[in-house]
Amino acid sequence: MKTLQRTFTIVKPDAVRKNAVGDIIEQFEKNGFRILAMKMLEISKYQAEQFYAVHAARPFFNTLTDFMSSGPIVVLALEKENAIADLRKLMGATNPAQAEEGTIRKKWATNIEHNAIHGSDAEDTSRFELSFFFAGYELAK
Ligand code: CMP
């Protein structure tokens, strides 16, 4: 029996500024992800701080949250078997200098901070991240 899993992703402000949204969404679909929900929005510095609260003690927290509130982002709820791990594989390493050929970050990321895309890293974080951006009715599919 197939067990579908959900994950959450953000096309970050750098990728939106590069007009990479269409290409990245095409890669989700070509790699078997179903788009459950999607929206383009801007978040405030405070909202970015809440979303990335697990990184609050990190030295990059301030620049990360400045960057994530610097322009439009596109947030998506995706579904497939093994979605969390498969999305992370498709994204490539956090630092694009280490990202494999054929990954989204290899193609679109500029550096470790401006790295084009975010994806949930585990089931508990995906639940938190999906519910941060989507209401229950938007995911009731
Ligand atoms: P993301 O998957 O959105 O999760 C946290 C983000 O913090 C990460 O992608 C990077 O954009 C950023 N990040 C992680 N490590 C570093 C680092 N060493 N320096 C700057 N930014 C980082």
Side-chain angles (χ1 to χ4, degrees), residues 10 12 51-52 55 58-60 63-64 67-68 88 91 94 105 111-115 117-119:
I10 305 177
K12 294 188 179 186
F51 179 77
Y52 279 117
H55 296 304
R58 300 292 196 88
F60 54 82
T63 53
L64 171 66
F67 166 59
M68 291 302 291
R88 291 182 70 78
M91 293 193 310
T94 305
R105 283 174 171 152
N111 54 49
I112 193 167
E113 191 155 270
H114 301 144
N115 66 351
I117 184 168
H118 165 82

Side-chain angles (χ1 to χ4, degrees), residues 5 26 28 30 37 40 43 58 76 78 80 85 95 111-112 128 134:
Q5 188 180 51
E26 186 178 1
F28 296 151
K30 280 191 170 156
M40 181 180 242
I43 56 172
R58 300 292 196 88
L76 298 96
L78 301 175
K80 84 185 280 288
N95 185 347
N111 54 49
I112 193 167
F128 165 76
F134 294 105

